[in-house]
Each structure stands twice: as C-alpha cells, then as structure tokens.
Amino acid sequence: MYALVDAVAFYASAEKVFDPAIRSKPVVVLTNNDGCICAVCPIARKLAIPKFQPYFQVKKILEDNQVVIRSSNYELYADLSERMMNVIGRFCDNQHIYSIDESFLNFTGFKKLIHDWHRYGHDIRRTVWRETKLPVGVGFGPTATLAKAANHAAKKLPGFDGVAVIDSEASRVAILKAMDVQDVWGVGRRLAKKLKVMNINTAFDLAEQDPRKMKRLFSIVLERTVNELRGKSCLAWDEVRQDKKEIFSTRSFGERITDATALKTALINHCVIVARKLRAQGSHTQRLLMFVASSPHQDGYYKKSYIYEFSVATADSCVFANAISEVFDHLYKPGVRFYKCGVGALELSSQMFQQPDLFQTPIDNPKLMKCLDSINSRYGVGTLAIASETPTTRWHMKRAYLSPHYTTRWHNLPKIHC
DNA sequence: TCTGGGGTCCTAGGACCC
DNA sequence: TCTGGGGTCCTAGGACCC
C-alpha cells in the first residue's frame, strides 16, 4: 500500500500559518518576480481565480474581490515543508519526499499492521494540522498513481473529508470513474485532448485501455500510467526516487539587465547551485549547458546557448565557474535586454565511476568541494562562496508582496501584541 | 533518367509536473 | 511604462557517417 500526502494549496496555506488574520480571506501567491499566480487557496478558488495566469492580467479581478496577494517566500515554505515532512515521516519509515509539499509513503513490509486506512489517514491529517497548522490531503492506493488519484479524490470530490482510500475493486472503480482523465498523474492538457477524441474521458476509461496499444499510439510513459491505474505497480519504489538525469538552475530577472558583469555573475550563481545539487546526489557531468535570453514576449527575441564539454566529468563549482568565464563572450551581446539565464548539467553519471584523463592533471578538487559542502551545510548555504559568485551589480527579484521570514530570521519572529 | 539504407548523435521543442 | 515561473524528461527530425 502506498500513500500520498500533500498540502492543500501549500504556498497559500503556508502564508496563513503565522497570519491568522488572513485565514478566512482569499489568498493567492505569485511566482518569482511576481510573474504569475502559482497558488490559490480554497476560498480564492471559489472566486474562479485561475492558476498560472500572468499577474498583471488578473490584477483587476484580484482587486475587485479583495484578494490577499503574497510574493513567493521560499525561505518560509522550505522551512515549513521540512517541519511538515518530519511529522508525516513519523507515520511510515519509508518516506519519499517528491516535491516541496508532497511525500509518498510506502507501507510494503511496514512494521505495524494497519486495519483501518481511513482512520490512519485522518490521524496523519490531524497530527500535521496540530503541529504545523498546515492542511493536508491523504490518498491511499496499491500503486503510486492510484495513491495520487485517491489523494485527488480526497481533496476534490464531495463526500471525502481529506482522506480517500483505494483498497478494493469497488473503491478503485468509483474513484476513477469520478475523475477526469486530465487529472490523472502523467496526463496533461495535450494528451487529455487527444484521449477525449478517442472517447476516453475519465480515469476509468483510461484504465480500461490496452496498455500495449497506448504505448504504440502514445508513449511508454502512458503505458506505465495505464498499468498503474489497473493496480500493477510500474513505478517501482526505487524508480519513483531515481537519481535525476539532468539538473538545471534558471531564473528570470526582476528587471531586464544589459550589464555583462551582472549577467556573468548570475550565470556563475546558477552553476554553483547546479554543482551543489550534483554533489548532493553523487553525480557529475561532462557537459554543462549555459544559456542567456531576452524576453520571448517581445520583438527581437535573442537566445544563445553553449554546451561546454569537460575532458573529465566533474561537479566542481570552480571548474564550472571557469568554464562560464571562458565562453561568456560567445553568449553576451551588448544592447540586449536580458530577461533570463540559466545553467544545466546534462548526461549525469555517478561519481563512483569517474574516468580520469591519463595525460592530464585533474581539473577538479573534490576535497575542496567536500570541505565547502560541509561548512555550508553546517552554517548555511552561502557561508562559503567562490569570489565570482558575489554580485558586483545587484539584480534583484521582484517581490512586492513578501511576507516576513517568520521561522528563519531572528528579526522576523512573529510578535504577539497583548 | 531516376532511384536508394541504416545507424548514431545532436538539438530544439513538446509535454508534463508543481 | 511595462509586466509573462521553474524543473525534468522524452522525442521527432535533421545532420552526418559509412
């Protein structure tokens, strides 16, 4: 049995934790740079406020409905996420954190025999609320995809109070029949459109298809999904939590930038993040992609990328930074108003199997990186940084509606007025 | 006069997720 | 005046080689 536990409109709920005054109000949270709406609380959802709509396009609707607006406060969300995951993790010793607000629990071989999954689910919900003031939904199912489907039912279908269980053929059929095919994990807008032309409208319709036929018509990904919906586990536990095959760090700027130094510093910051994530999963790369771009929404769209090939696979921040300095002139173009840039490591391989170069002295310094990582993990990321990371010019993120970092900065501690 | 295979690698863009 | 997220994986199609 699997469970999927996730928070209801996590970012919006997180904003309400330390600000009870807005708990009964409609709240939305914006993406980086206040670009789009990325979280809509249940109260705001009733006002039909669309997710992932550019903010400036719905400004009027938000004002008219007196919706509370918040900029993304990742420092707060990351901290609350960690607390929430710790509480959830107490309910199963095999937990896989899938995203900032979702975690799968695998009860295969669980030490405790659970007779009543409903009750167990409500236990989780109650405990998470009591200890973190975050509302969660819980779904149980014999495969990860069915647990996801149950979780969807728990939160969206009437008659479920935040917990849904698929533990019989009857419950599987009932929940899948009530679920639009587009809400299935792995089926997006485009795929749903094609499926609906074939008269496959609900999750149940999809589950009734021949998996091999779906593979032939669409992809191996959909074949797996169909099998999972039929109760056959295809996303093996260790596959759900497989190492990443590529790792990116990209970001748009709060304001357009034209300055070469600022752009270069931004790229170096991204490559440092990528390098850190690579080391964290024990991977390294021989190919590093770097790109810069102007706004695709405006005329004269400029986009340039470069793939740097190292002679030996590495995850060394300094080596990455040097690579960027080396090829930066190929990317930068004076006069362009840069909107976005990023760095990605492609074709990752395991650090356990490094193939050194016979004729060259090593280009990287794993000991130095290990030292850097342990200092930063102890005293916080950024405590120790490479010199070229430090911004000489400010490029800030636009966050006009930022809430305080209640839990991570002393001067942001919530104050209680008596 | 016209036609013709098979494999690998690369890349941009598509699709999906949160 | 101007504004449009971030991350990962897959695949079709082009280029090139023999």
Side-chain angles (χ1 to χ4, degrees):
Chain A
M1 189 61 115
Y2 291 86
L4 176 69
V5 187
D6 73 348
V8 178
F10 179 58
Y11 294 172
S13 298
E15 291 293 337
K16 296 190 182 196
V17 170
F18 291 101
D19 196 351
I22 64 169
R23 281 197 195 155
S24 54
K25 292 182 182 165
V27 173
V28 298
V29 179
L30 307 178
T31 56
N32 282 334
N33 293 315
D34 296 341
C36 294
I37 291 180
C38 69
V40 182
C41 83
I43 300 168
R45 203 179 294 141
K46 283 197 188 124
L47 300 168
I49 289 165
K51 221 173 150 181
F52 293 114
Q53 186 93 11
Y55 168 54
F56 73 94
Q57 289 176 4
V58 288
K59 221 169 178 169
K60 185 83 175 52
I61 308 174
L62 298 179
E63 272 168 23
D64 291 349
N65 289 287
Q66 296 184 315
V67 176
V68 177
I69 298 160
R70 290 280 187 264
S71 303
S72 285
N73 183 347
Y74 287 103
E75 208 169 307
L76 176 68
Y77 309 152
D79 189 61
L80 293 184
S81 167
E82 198 186 320
R83 297 175 185 206
M84 180 179 87
M85 294 306 179
N86 284 337
V87 178
I88 296 167
R90 297 211 303 264
F91 288 85
C92 181
D93 48 11
N94 197 352
Q95 177 189 29
H96 169 44
I97 295 171
Y98 174 73
S99 73
I100 192 163
D101 80 316
E102 289 175 275
S103 71
F104 281 102
L105 303 176
N106 182 356
F107 291 94
T108 314
F110 189 50
K111 57 189 177 200
K112 213 160 61 180
L113 192 62
I114 295 159
H115 298 288
D116 188 340
W117 292 104
H118 274 105
R119 222 174 115 185
Y120 203 67
H122 281 294
D123 247 11
I124 297 176
R125 251 173 77 82
R126 226 182 359 257
T127 312
V128 174
W129 175 258
R130 195 176 59 225
E131 298 187 22
T132 68
K133 288 292 173 280
L134 288 165
V136 295
V138 187
F140 292 96
T143 66
T145 306
L146 285 172
K148 235 352 207 176
N151 176 286
H152 180 264
K155 294 194 298 185
K156 298 282 160 71
L157 294 188
F160 292 96
D161 190 15
V163 178
V165 182
I166 293 179
D167 59 350
S168 64
E169 183 60 8
S171 55
R172 184 183 77 93
V173 172
I175 284 176
L176 294 188
K177 276 192 173 168
M179 188 175 178
D180 192 290
V181 72
Q182 213 207 289
D183 294 328
V184 173
W185 191 32
V187 178
R189 217 182 54 233
R190 304 297 289 269
L191 204 48
K193 210 171 150 190
K194 288 182 194 164
L195 291 171
K196 282 178 181 176
V197 171
M198 298 166 65
N199 210 23
I200 300 168
N201 296 302
T202 67
F204 181 73
D205 295 339
L206 182 60
E208 289 296 287
Q209 301 300 313
D210 177 16
R212 280 164 308 172
K213 187 180 158 200
M214 289 295 108
K215 181 185 179 181
R216 192 158 40 79
L217 290 178
F218 297 97
S219 70
I220 192 163
V221 183
L222 194 61
E223 181 192 28
R224 274 205 293 253
T225 301
V226 172
N227 275 319
E228 285 256 320
L229 286 176
R230 296 163 82 94
K232 187 178 159 201
S233 246
C234 289
L235 298 165
W237 188 240
D238 45 359
E239 264 177 67
V240 177
R241 52 195 313 176
Q242 235 174 20
D243 281 351
K244 301 230 183 339
K245 294 175 178 171
E246 52 185 47
I247 290 176
F248 273 74
S249 174
T250 70
R251 198 117 310 171
S252 52
F253 301 109
E255 284 165 19
R256 305 287 185 265
I257 61 169
T258 51
D259 179 48
T261 314
L263 185 64
K264 189 167 160 186
T265 310
L267 279 172
I268 288 174
N269 273 271
H270 287 303
C271 87
V272 166
I273 292 168
V274 168
R276 189 177 65 232
K277 288 186 178 174
L278 281 174
R279 295 194 295 270
Q281 79 161 29
S283 296
H284 56 197
T285 185
Q286 217 165 338
R287 291 156 53 84
L288 195 70
L289 172 93
M290 34 203 111
F291 77 90
V292 296
S294 68
S295 169
H297 305 291
Q298 280 162 351
D299 290 341
Y301 180 40
Y302 173 88
K303 185 175 179 182
K304 196 99 189 261
S305 64
Y306 191 98
I307 295 180
Y308 195 100
E309 310 251 356
F310 299 104
S311 57
V312 173
T314 178
D316 189 304
S317 309
C318 302
V319 174
F320 284 0
N322 284 336
I324 286 171
S325 298
E326 194 183 319
V327 303
F328 182 73
D329 289 343
H330 295 288
L331 300 171
Y332 180 71
K333 189 174 160 193
V336 174
R337 298 173 68 233
F338 289 98
Y339 159 77
K340 189 176 187 170
C341 75
V343 170
L346 314 168
E347 286 168 39
L348 309 191
S349 49
S350 168
Q351 283 181 7
M352 288 166 69
F353 307 108
Q354 188 177 42
Q355 177 64 58
D357 190 318
L358 185 59
F359 304 105
Q360 251 188 358
T361 48
I363 52 171
D364 57 1
N365 189 342
K367 272 189 184 162
L368 179 64
M369 288 301 115
K370 205 168 175 187
C371 171
L372 185 133
D373 285 336
S374 53
I375 288 174
N376 282 341
S377 82
R378 186 159 171 192
Y379 299 105
V381 170
T383 304
L384 199 58
I386 58 177
S388 50
E389 245 183 281
T390 321
T392 48
T393 320
R394 285 230 160 271
W395 76 87
H396 59 273
M397 210 192 285
K398 201 161 114 195
R399 296 198 290 185
Y401 312 100
L402 189 63
S403 52
H405 304 294
Y406 294 110
T407 59
T408 47
R409 301 202 190 177
W410 286 112
H411 63 273
N412 281 168
L413 275 180
K415 295 180 188 68
I416 298 167
H417 300 278
C418 298

